[in-house]
Amino acid sequence: MTKRLYIETVGCQMNVLDSEMVVASLRQHGYELTSDPLQADAILFNTCSVRQHAEDKIYSALGKLRGTKRQHPEKIIGVLGCMAQKDQQLIFERAPYVDLIVGPGQLHKVPELIERAAKGERRQAAVSLDRTDGPLPEIKRSHETFDPLRDPTMRPTPFQAYLRIQIGCDKFCTYCVVPMTRGPEQGRPPEQILDEARVLADQGCLEITLLGQTVNSYRYSDGARTTRLSDLLRMLHDVPGIRRLKFVTNYPKDMSDELLETVRELPKCSPYLHVPLQSGSTAVLERMKRGYTADDYRRMMERIREKLPEAAVSSDFIVGFCGETEDEFQQTVRAVAEYRFKNSFIFKYSERPGTKAMQRLPDDVPYAVKQRRNNELLQLQNQISEEDNQQFLGRSVEVLVEGPSKAAQRRGDTGPVLQMMGRTHCDRIVVFDGTLRQAGQLLNVAIYDLTAHTLLGAVQTHHVAPAVVQLL
Ligand code: 5AD
Ligand code: SF4
C-alpha cells in the first residue's frame, strides 16, 4: 500500500540535495509525496542550524503538530539535518511526540528508522559522532555521504541538479556551527562523482552545480594521485549532455589561479563565482578566524578580474559580529562599493552554541544596530545590482529556461502564453513571455528592462541567414 510523505526543507543547497536523497530512498519503500501534512503518514523536517531564527521556525512548526499527533498517533514525525545533529535528545525533550531525529551524516537510515517507529519503537535517533567523540577516522566514518539515489521530481527543476563533491568543513570560522553539524571535511572519490554526473545527464539534466561547504578546497587523494576541483571540472566537462557546470561555495583562500584558468578555458563552466567575504574589516575577519585579510581578498578579486573579466562574483556578509564597531562596519560598506558584487546575501550575526565565538566573544552589538547595518548594506548592494544589470540592456543573453516565473506560479498561470524564467550562464535571473514547452531549452533572450534582481526580455526568433534567403 502506498504511504504518503510530507517533507519540508529549510537552509542551504546541501539540504535541498539531502531531501532529494531521502525522498528517493523512501519512494523505494512505497512512499509517495504529498504537499499536505495532514494527509501524510510521515512528516519530516530537514532542518538548518546556521542561525537561531531557522531553528525557532522549526520548533514552532513542531509545536503546531502536537495536536495532530495526539489525534493521529500513527503519524510519524521526524527531524532531520543539522538541528537534529546539534540538539539531539533535546528535541525529544522539547517536542516529546517527535518519533525520529537523524543527523545529516545518517540520512541513509531514515527508511529503517521510520519502519521501527511505525512498529511502536518510539524515539529513534541516529546522529554522527561529535568532533570530540573519538579518533578522527572514526568521526569521519560516522559522517556518511548518501548520494547515489537521485529523484528528478525533487530537484529545483528536472534540468538542474546538485552534486555533492565534499561533505563537512574543517575551517572552523568562529561564528559557524557547520564543522560541528556536518563533521570533518571529506572529498568524495572522483569516480563516484563522475558516475553520478553520467546518471544525471542520462536523466536529462543540463546543468550540474557541484556542492561543498568550501567547494574549491576539494581534494581527493588515492595515494598515487591527488584530484582537485579543477581536475574534476575537466573530467565532468566531457560528460555528454551536460551544458553548464557551476560550483558553490568558494573559500577565498583556496581560489587558485589554476581553478580560475580552468573556468576560463572550459566553455561549460559558468563565469559565476560565489566567494563570501563576510566582512571588509581585517580586525573582524581575524575575530571570525576566516584566515585572510581584507587585502588578501582584494588581491584575489584582482586575479579574478584579470583572468575572468566577465565573471559575476557574489558574496555573503555577516553584520553585527561580536565587537563590530561602526568604523569596522563602514569598511564592509566600502568593500561592497569597491567590488560591486552581482549580489550579496547579508545576515545579522546569530550566536550559535558550540562555536568558538559563543565561548570567547560576547554578542554585544544590539539587535537594532544589526538591523540598521543589514538594511544599509542591502540598500547599497541593491543599487549596485541594478546598475550592474544595466550593462545587459539591448543585449542578447543565452538563458537556460527553468519554468514559470514566481509571479506566474503565484497566479497559477498555465498559458498558452505565460511568464517564464531562466538563468544566464553567469547566474542572472531572466523573465520573459513564453510557453511551458520552453522549459529545459537554451534560448536567446533580448533584454529590454531590468530590476536589481531580474532581467526582463523577449525571446529572439531565429533569423534566416541571408544565404538561405537567396536560395529561397
Ligand atoms: N550568524 C549569521 N550568519 C551566519 N552565517 C554562518 N553562520 C552564521 C551565524 N552564526 C552566514 C555566513 C555564511 C552563510 C551561509 O551564512 O555568511 O556564508
Ligand atoms: Fe562555516 Fe567557515 Fe566552514 Fe563556511 S568555511 S561552513 S562559514 S566554518
Side-chain angles (χ1 to χ4, degrees):
M1 204 185 65
T2 323
K3 290 163 280 183
R4 272 165 297 193
L5 164 71
Y6 172 84
I7 185 162
E8 207 170 296
T9 307
V10 293
C12 62
Q13 290 112 327
M14 226 27 127
N15 269 15
V16 174
L17 176 58
D18 283 339
S19 288
E20 180 186 330
M21 307 293 173
V22 168
V23 171
S25 67
L26 284 173
R27 274 190 204 283
Q28 295 190 336
H29 287 79
Y31 277 87
E32 277 304 325
L33 275 179
T34 169
S35 54
D36 180 2
L38 297 178
Q39 298 289 321
D41 301 289
I43 302 174
L44 302 179
F45 294 94
N46 195 3
T47 61
C48 170
S49 286
V50 163
R51 283 169 291 275
Q52 178 71 41
H53 181 63
E55 294 192 346
D56 292 344
K57 283 211 302 221
I58 296 296
Y59 277 115
S60 141
L62 286 174
K64 288 191 188 127
L65 289 175
R66 186 188 302 265
T68 313
K69 181 74 177 177
R70 205 177 299 127
Q71 282 170 357
H72 301 281
E74 74 287 356
K75 279 188 196 289
I76 308 288
I77 300 178
V79 177
L80 321 179
C82 287
M83 199 179 95
Q85 180 66 36
K86 174 180 151 286
D87 284 358
Q88 305 191 1
Q89 299 293 321
L90 187 71
I91 297 174
F92 290 142
E93 283 163 35
R94 287 184 65 172
Y97 43 91
V98 165
D99 297 293
L100 56 139
I101 56 172
V102 189
Q106 300 286 317
L107 293 173
H108 53 285
K109 294 192 182 142
V110 168
E112 180 199 325
L113 297 183
I114 288 188
E115 214 159 281
R116 284 209 204 153
K119 281 193 206 134
E121 292 177 47
R122 301 224 33 248
R123 300 205 180 174
Q124 295 292 324
V127 289
S128 300
L129 293 178
D130 284 337
R131 285 274 191 171
T132 50
D133 273 353
L136 187 61
E138 239 172 80
I139 296 169
K140 281 188 173 173
R141 263 198 303 281
S142 83
H143 286 268
E144 288 183 43
T145 62
F146 170 46
D147 292 79
L149 292 161
R150 305 302 310 224
D151 189 323
T153 63
M154 276 300 286
R155 302 217 183 107
T157 74
F159 332 104
Q160 298 165 296
Y162 294 128
L163 204 179
R164 186 179 350 249
I165 66 167
Q166 178 193 58
I167 64 170
C169 183
D170 278 346
K171 304 293 193 262
F172 287 99
C173 302
T174 55
Y175 52 79
C176 189
V177 77
V178 168
M180 276 62 81
T181 59
R182 288 193 179 264
E185 181 183 315
Q186 301 180 70
R188 290 181 68 207
E191 301 73 34
Q192 255 182 42
I193 296 169
L194 193 60
D195 284 348
E196 209 178 321
R198 292 201 184 103
V199 169
L200 290 169
D202 286 346
Q203 290 176 350
C205 178
L206 301 173
E207 177 183 289
I208 291 183
T209 303
L210 305 178
L211 295 186
Q213 237 66 48
T214 55
V215 72
N216 58 335
S217 319
Y218 171 87
R219 264 176 71 103
Y220 184 86
S221 188
D222 63 4
R225 214 184 65 204
T226 301
T227 309
R228 293 174 193 278
L229 178 58
S230 46
D231 307 312
L232 265 189
L233 288 170
R234 282 180 204 286
M235 290 163 63
L236 295 171
H237 203 262
D238 291 336
V239 175
I242 299 301
R243 303 288 294 268
R244 287 182 178 177
L245 289 168
K246 296 181 177 170
F247 50 90
V248 289
T249 285
N250 291 287
Y251 188 62
K253 251 176 63 169
D254 292 327
M255 197 52 101
S256 68
D257 279 349
E258 202 201 336
L259 178 59
L260 297 177
E261 280 155 18
T262 305
V263 172
R264 181 173 62 192
E265 227 173 273
L266 302 178
K268 291 182 185 177
C269 285
S270 290
Y272 162 64
L273 300 170
H274 180 65
V275 208
L277 169 57
Q278 309 295 2
S279 167
S281 149
T282 295
V284 174
L285 290 170
E286 249 164 42
R287 295 204 288 281
M288 291 177 166
K289 285 225 175 343
R290 282 288 286 176
Y292 54 86
T293 64
D295 273 343
D296 293 337
Y297 193 88
R298 176 170 297 107
R299 280 190 285 273
M300 179 207 70
M301 282 299 277
E302 283 165 3
R303 284 191 294 117
I304 291 178
R305 299 294 187 218
E306 182 203 315
K307 294 192 188 294
L308 293 166
E310 298 285 310
V313 181
S314 62
S315 181
D316 292 351
F317 290 96
I318 297 177
V319 295
F321 184 63
C322 309
E324 186 186 65
T325 63
E326 193 56 32
D327 180 58
E328 286 167 344
F329 170 64
Q330 289 305 324
Q331 293 179 45
T332 300
V333 173
R334 285 198 290 279
V336 167
E338 177 181 349
Y339 300 129
R340 300 186 65 79
F341 297 108
K342 174 186 77 108
N343 67 298
S344 291
F345 300 96
I346 302 167
F347 307 102
K348 295 183 277 291
Y349 173 58
S350 167
E351 189 171 61
R352 308 310 297 133
T355 59
K356 286 279 178 307
M358 169 118 181
Q359 287 155 15
R360 297 184 189 160
L361 301 166
D363 177 15
D364 52 2
V365 177
Y367 188 82
V369 175
K370 289 180 182 169
Q371 186 67 55
R372 200 232 331 123
R373 290 180 185 170
N374 192 325
N375 292 346
E376 186 178 331
L377 204 59
L378 194 62
Q379 206 182 351
L380 173 63
Q381 179 59 61
N382 282 346
Q383 186 194 326
I384 289 168
S385 297
E386 189 172 332
E387 285 166 9
D388 185 47
N389 271 344
Q390 285 175 9
Q391 63 177 302
F392 292 98
L393 276 180
R395 274 171 59 186
S396 173
V397 292
E398 192 185 54
V399 172
L400 173 60
V401 185
E402 297 182 8
S405 71
K406 275 200 187 131
Q409 285 181 33
R410 250 195 324 272
R411 289 192 297 261
D413 293 352
T414 51
V417 175
L418 74 168
Q419 193 179 57
M420 298 290 285
M421 73 76 68
R423 273 170 216 266
T424 65
H425 209 6
C426 54
D427 204 53
R428 288 182 168 87
I429 294 170
V430 181
V431 301
F432 56 92
D433 283 340
T435 66
L436 288 174
R437 213 194 297 268
Q438 289 164 329
Q441 292 182 17
L442 280 157
L443 297 177
N444 288 325
V445 176
I447 303 304
Y448 62 79
D449 202 359
L450 56 94
T451 67
H453 303 293
T454 313
L455 301 172
L456 285 84
V459 176
Q460 291 189 303
T461 45
H462 292 289
H463 293 290
V464 181
V468 181
V469 176
Q470 278 166 18
L471 282 178
L472 291 175

